[in-house]
Amino acid sequence: MEARLAWRLFKRELSQGQLLLIILAITLAVMSVTGLARVSDRLQIAINGQASKFIAADRIINSPVEIDPQILVQAKELGLQQVSSMQFNSMAYANDEFQLITVRAVAQGYPLKGTIELDTGPARGLPELGSIWYETRLGGILSYPESLELGNSEFTLTREIARLPDAGFNPFASSPVVLMRIEDVAKTGIIQPGSRVTYLYQFAGDSAVLKQFENQVKPLLNNSQRWVDVQSGDSPIAEAVKRAERFLLLASLLGIALACAAIGIAAQRYCQRHFDVVAMLKTFGASRKQIRILFGLHLLLVTLLGVVFGIIAGLALDAVITSYLPESIAAYGAPLARPVLLGVATGLISAFMFSAYPLLRLLAIPPLRVLQRQLEGLQFGMWLHLLLSLAAMALLGYLYSNSIALTMTVVAGVLLLGVLLSLFGFALIRAGHSVGMKTTNPFQLALAGLRRRARQNAIQLVGFSAALVLLLTIIALRQDLLNEWQKQLPEQSPNYFLVNIAPDEAAPLNDYFAKHDVKATDIYPVIRGRLTQINGETLISSEQSRNGDPGRVGISRELNLTWRNSLPENNEIVAGEFNLDDYDVSVESEVAERLELQLGDTLTYMIDNQELTVTVKSFRAVHWETLQPNFFMIFSEKALAPFAYTSMASFHLPESKRHLIIELIQDFPTVSIIDVGAMVAQLRQIIDQVSLSLTLVLVLVLAASSLVLVAQTEAGMATRQRELAVLRTFGASGSLLRWSTGLEFALLGAIAGFMAVVVAEFTLYLLKTQVFELNVYMHWPWWALAPIAGAIIVAALGTWRCRALLQQSCSQLLKARA
């Protein structure tokens, strides 16, 4: 019987439009989550897909020895594409000259992602057996021979390489690269037992399958083998990709928060509309169990309808946005199951947990309300409502992001928002008590309205401010991330590096740059040295540590050291001072953390068979993503003065001046030139796509925030309708009511804007320090602009929604039902 009555009630209210608000709220919730999840998944997959071209695959196993063949069998069984390659150094001989080169020996199918760029354009295929493709500068060094000897074999030089997709970026590795077929390696006789070789096993395929493969393979790798992806730090855009993914996750989490706010508002309004219905049912003898079943089924039907509409709208939203995306992004598919399941879970979990307390209030309505309409039954238990609401938001947030830091940051911001607005907002409204009793003008009438609806307005402030907080947070983070990436790659980023600059060539080079108006960085001296002791304690290598040898682990390779009298660009002091004395050193912060260094520690280096001991004076944060010379250790000039050095620099050369490269090679034949222009172009492409992604997500959050504001405005219409009827009865004019209504909403919006800035600054502090690692600063213009914008937006929405009520006569208002 209850089910039949619930269905009849559902059909009646659906036909009368009384369910529109809650269905719209649930539809908004599911649409926001489904649409944002699918769009952000697509953008995330596209960004990673484009970024994977920097490593020529989706995943790589980097190993000093050949891996277990069973791993390759597993990859094949999972349907992954795979290709193997080798990398080693050797001496090449041509035209009576020897040259150290880096050999890349690759198998058919390389590269899995990206393309090999030749001097004539993108390559098709690989070198023929017995031939080699070579880096342009090798030809210049060896006077462009037709062939070269490598080990026991001679190879024909056929094509010039402009760039390999997975060449990486290390200006200190100055040996030219050659590309050959892996089948030709054996006949060179170079690879012998004990030879230093890097084996690269590259894989590509579906992200879910790759994750499954990773879970199977990673436990099988030893300490000398590495699992590499675009976020491993080997890619110059690793940090940009990580931050973009975190931003997309955050945007979707904020979408969930918006959805929860909309459902909470709608659920409260839904239950308020049925207070009289429950009182009537109890008067006619309905039991508490019957009423619980009746409204439980009714709410379930409403929720299911909202979920269905929300999923359809979310998928339509994704289709519309995808149609406007660049083809390079739209081509990437996104999984359908996860966004749909997340949308369903959002609708069901949030509808239940946000409706629990309003439903308890509804069930507790006494029958006497039939006679005394001010009775509302249950008036306590808000702590339960808050607990359930936060639990729902945290559960959905973690299910989506799998990130405790992101989820708890959003929950902390929401909790602060609720506390501040419930207390401080209520106090601000109550402060207008004495003025609000005088209703001789619109402003005083607006204050009176704020006071009469103090509790309801405090709740409305939460909804208005939540939307504004989310907007401010997304706008600020998007701008900060874009600014950060622009710093990494400004318009005139260096596209060439010079290495092996002799000391007597530094001044002529600077003159050459000045003469041709070429923008160049400073020339940095480079000295090779090995860190051997910390505070007098001899360091051991990682391999010795793995073998069980006691001692402190150091850095198992030579370091590139430099001196500077001033702090370089893209470096920030995080501890200590940079003004170096004669025997001080400034250490990069991550290296300092890994070596467990403290300010004042002594470091001993071995340079040219001589010991140098210096004191740690400062720690620096270095932006490695910038294409500028950067170093782990920076010394004073006096400390490194006894040692021989070469130098390096980078410069930007526009396309119109590319001819200067030939002249530069002729004037400075011993200087090695590294062209990173192709890498810069590829980096810019990735950053442009990330920027587009952030903009799209911002638009989605803007739309969702606007809908929440509309839902919040709708929630108070019934009470306002009754008050307008009373005021009309006592002779209030239409203009007075219009102005007072607009001013009341404007005051609410101004308070909401002010509180939104407070919470947004707090949330941004947590996000920047705990998640995105960005600089923290105050957004001072917000403190004036947000209250003004809040007042204008909320006043416009409120006046627009009330326009029909304000145009009705006293009799029409009294006849209409809330």
Side-chain angles (χ1 to χ4, degrees):
M1 177 179 175
E2 290 84 2
R4 187 165 58 252
L5 186 56
W7 175 247
R8 288 175 56 192
L9 182 64
F10 174 75
K11 288 196 300 181
R12 182 177 68 85
E13 295 196 353
L14 187 63
S15 63
Q16 293 178 353
Q18 295 185 18
L19 295 180
L20 181 61
L21 178 63
I22 191 167
I23 291 175
L24 178 63
I26 296 173
T27 300
L28 163 67
V30 178
M31 180 193 74
S32 297
V33 173
T34 304
L36 276 173
R38 189 152 166 81
V39 170
S40 62
D41 282 354
R42 185 187 307 278
L43 295 174
Q44 191 168 310
I45 291 170
I47 290 169
N48 277 286
Q50 292 294 312
S52 65
K53 295 177 182 179
F54 275 96
I55 58 173
D58 290 323
R59 304 291 188 273
I60 296 175
I61 296 177
N62 184 310
S63 174
V65 296
E66 294 183 84
I67 63 173
D68 185 347
Q70 186 60 35
I71 293 177
L72 302 181
V73 173
Q74 287 179 314
K76 185 176 181 180
E77 290 175 350
L78 290 172
L80 294 175
Q81 301 177 60
Q82 55 180 291
V83 66
S84 302
S85 62
M86 302 166 60
Q87 181 171 307
F88 55 90
N89 291 330
S90 181
M91 295 298 295
Y93 177 75
N95 290 342
D96 297 325
E97 293 186 37
F98 287 94
Q99 174 62 40
L100 179 67
I101 61 173
T102 299
V103 179
R104 288 293 307 274
V106 298
Q108 188 64 39
Y110 171 88
L112 295 177
K113 294 290 184 76
T115 58
I116 303 170
E117 295 291 336
L118 302 177
D119 60 333
T120 55
R124 295 183 179 180
L126 294 173
E128 299 289 336
L129 291 174
S131 65
I132 278 179
W133 292 352
Y134 60 96
E135 194 176 349
T136 303
R137 58 195 176 105
L138 177 63
I141 293 171
L142 297 178
S143 302
Y144 292 95
E146 293 184 359
S147 64
L148 60 75
E149 293 182 21
L150 187 60
N152 300 327
S153 299
E154 185 171 347
F155 293 87
T156 304
L157 299 179
T158 55
R159 306 293 294 275
E160 293 186 21
I161 301 172
R163 173 171 164 75
L164 297 178
D166 56 344
F169 175 64
N170 182 5
F172 300 110
S174 56
S175 55
V177 175
V178 300
L179 188 73
M180 63 185 296
R181 296 289 288 267
I182 200 168
E183 295 87 348
D184 280 337
V185 173
K187 66 183 183 181
T188 66
I190 293 174
I191 306 302
Q192 301 293 331
S195 296
R196 294 176 65 95
V197 182
T198 299
Y199 294 88
L200 300 169
Y201 300 90
Q202 298 171 310
F203 306 93
D206 180 74
S207 57
V209 178
L210 285 166
K211 186 63 178 177
Q212 180 183 350
F213 181 58
E214 178 181 353
N215 294 334
Q216 294 176 357
V217 169
K218 266 187 139 179
L220 305 178
L221 303 180
N222 59 40
N223 292 334
S224 63
Q225 297 171 326
R226 291 189 302 133
W227 177 267
V228 179
D229 59 23
V230 294
Q231 298 186 18
S232 299
D234 289 14
S235 162
I237 58 162
E239 190 58 32
V241 171
K242 290 178 184 177
R243 284 176 171 171
E245 289 191 351
R246 288 195 290 264
F247 181 88
L248 295 174
L249 282 176
L250 174 67
S252 297
L253 283 180
L254 296 183
I256 290 174
L258 284 170
C260 291
I263 289 179
I265 295 165
Q268 181 178 349
R269 176 68 183 131
Y270 166 82
C271 292
Q272 286 175 345
R273 294 178 71 97
H274 290 82
F275 282 174
D276 292 340
V277 176
V278 170
M280 290 290 293
L281 289 172
K282 286 185 175 181
T283 302
F284 289 117
S287 68
R288 185 181 178 86
K289 179 181 178 182
Q290 289 175 318
I291 295 174
R292 185 169 60 247
I293 294 174
L294 169 65
F295 283 96
L297 290 172
H298 191 188
L299 187 62
L300 179 62
L301 288 171
V302 172
T303 302
L304 291 177
L305 188 62
V307 166
V308 171
F309 285 164
I311 289 175
I312 295 172
L315 296 179
L317 179 66
D318 170 63
V320 170
I321 292 175
T322 300
S323 67
Y324 287 96
L325 290 175
E327 187 176 344
S328 59
I329 295 180
Y332 287 89
L336 182 62
R338 181 174 174 273
V340 170
L341 290 176
L342 189 63
V344 172
T346 299
L348 295 178
I349 293 174
S350 55
F352 168 74
M353 299 187 79
F354 276 83
S355 301
Y357 177 70
L359 199 58
L360 286 176
R361 290 191 64 199
L362 179 64
L363 296 176
I365 291 296
L368 276 177
R369 181 180 168 89
V370 174
L371 301 176
Q372 301 179 35
R373 298 193 74 249
Q374 73 273 18
L375 295 178
E376 294 187 0
L378 187 67
Q379 293 294 335
F380 57 89
M382 279 301 292
W383 62 269
L384 175 64
H385 189 41
L386 178 61
L387 183 63
L388 289 175
S389 301
L390 289 176
M393 196 174 300
L395 175 62
L396 289 170
Y398 185 74
L399 284 176
Y400 181 82
S401 68
N402 200 29
S403 169
I404 293 178
L406 270 177
T407 302
M408 295 314 296
T409 298
V410 173
V411 170
V414 170
L415 184 58
L416 176 64
L417 177 65
V419 171
L420 286 178
L421 289 173
S422 297
L423 297 178
F424 187 57
F426 183 73
L428 284 175
I429 294 168
R430 293 288 293 181
H433 173 75
S434 59
V435 179
M437 294 303 293
K438 304 170 186 176
T439 57
T440 58
N441 61 57
F443 183 73
Q444 292 171 343
L445 187 58
L447 288 178
L450 288 176
R451 178 185 175 276
R452 285 194 304 273
R453 286 182 293 275
R455 185 183 300 277
Q456 177 186 321
N457 286 334
I459 296 172
Q460 279 192 314
L461 278 173
V462 175
F464 290 143
S465 298
L468 294 175
V469 166
L470 300 183
L471 283 178
L472 292 176
T473 302
I474 288 293
I475 290 171
L477 275 180
R478 174 185 174 274
Q479 193 58 47
D480 284 351
L481 289 176
L482 292 180
N483 289 342
E484 188 77 12
W485 293 327
Q486 288 300 322
K487 287 180 184 177
Q488 295 173 16
L489 287 176
E491 285 302 315
Q492 294 190 338
S493 295
N495 52 6
Y496 288 93
F497 268 77
L498 300 177
V499 294
N500 296 328
I501 303 171
D504 59 353
E505 292 177 315
L509 262 176
N510 278 326
D511 293 340
Y512 182 88
F513 291 146
K515 174 184 176 183
H516 295 282
D517 194 25
V518 174
K519 183 180 179 181
T521 64
D522 293 341
I523 295 178
Y524 289 77
V526 180
I527 296 173
R528 305 279 289 179
R530 184 180 294 274
L531 179 63
T532 58
Q533 296 178 21
I534 299 177
N535 294 328
E537 179 183 357
T538 301
L539 303 178
I540 64 173
S541 66
S542 301
E543 185 175 351
Q544 288 174 314
S545 177
R546 288 193 295 269
N547 293 335
D549 293 354
R552 188 169 182 172
V553 179
I555 300 175
S556 305
R557 60 182 176 84
E558 283 193 324
L559 298 170
N560 295 288
L561 316 176
T562 192
W563 72 72
R564 290 279 296 182
N565 295 322
S566 59
L567 186 68
E569 290 185 39
N570 308 307
N571 286 240
E572 299 172 14
I573 296 296
V574 295
E577 298 178 351
F578 187 78
N579 51 335
L580 303 175
D581 293 330
D582 291 348
Y583 291 95
D584 288 338
V585 65
S586 178
V587 184
E588 193 268 341
S589 57
E590 291 185 5
V591 169
E593 183 178 351
R594 194 175 87 191
L595 296 176
E596 299 179 352
L597 297 179
Q598 302 290 329
L599 294 177
D601 284 352
T602 60
L603 307 181
T604 301
Y605 297 83
M606 184 63 69
I607 305 174
D608 292 343
N609 294 321
Q610 300 178 52
E611 282 193 351
L612 171 67
T613 300
V614 292
T615 302
V616 177
K617 187 68 173 290
S618 64
F619 297 138
R620 291 170 294 111
V622 178
H623 295 284
W624 296 102
E625 303 90 346
T626 58
L627 297 179
Q628 308 245 0
N630 281 308
F631 298 83
F632 287 127
M633 316 282 184
I634 299 180
F635 297 74
S636 67
E637 184 174 357
K638 183 175 181 179
L640 297 182
F643 307 105
Y645 68 91
T646 59
S647 298
M648 68 175 299
S650 61
F651 63 94
H652 173 79
L653 198 65
E655 191 67 31
S656 59
K657 295 184 177 181
R658 291 292 290 269
H659 62 279
L660 293 178
I661 291 298
I662 303 300
E663 184 179 331
L664 188 63
I665 293 173
Q666 294 172 345
D667 291 351
F668 301 92
T670 61
V671 175
S672 297
I673 301 176
I674 304 174
D675 183 356
V676 295
M679 176 183 290
V680 172
Q682 197 170 359
L683 279 169
R684 287 192 184 283
Q685 183 183 11
I686 299 296
I687 296 303
D688 288 344
Q689 291 177 344
V690 171
S691 301
L692 174 64
S693 304
L694 303 191
T695 304
L696 289 173
V697 171
L698 174 60
V699 171
L700 288 178
V701 174
L702 272 169
S705 298
S706 300
L707 289 175
V708 170
L709 287 173
V710 172
Q712 180 66 84
T713 305
E714 177 70 27
M717 285 300 106
T719 303
R720 192 172 296 278
Q721 181 172 328
R722 288 193 294 270
E723 291 184 358
L724 287 173
V726 172
L727 290 170
R728 282 283 197 186
T729 302
F730 284 101
S733 66
S735 62
L736 176 64
L737 295 179
R738 282 193 295 273
W739 275 103
S740 65
T741 300
L743 285 171
E744 183 179 344
F745 278 111
L747 288 171
L748 275 175
I751 297 170
F754 175 77
M755 298 307 297
V757 175
V758 175
V759 178
E761 293 284 16
F762 168 76
T763 305
L764 285 169
Y765 172 80
L766 292 180
L767 289 171
K768 289 182 179 183
T769 56
Q770 304 300 318
V771 179
F772 290 96
E773 299 176 3
L774 295 170
N775 292 328
V776 178
Y777 58 90
M778 294 292 287
H779 303 80
W780 295 115
W782 285 4
W783 295 86
L785 295 177
I788 295 173
I792 294 172
I793 293 171
V794 175
L797 283 172
T799 305
W800 171 78
R801 181 59 189 87
C802 293
R803 73 192 187 286
L805 295 179
L806 293 170
Q807 292 171 357
Q808 292 179 6
S809 66
C810 180
S811 59
Q812 289 174 318
L813 289 168
L814 290 172
K815 289 177 182 178
R817 292 182 58 86

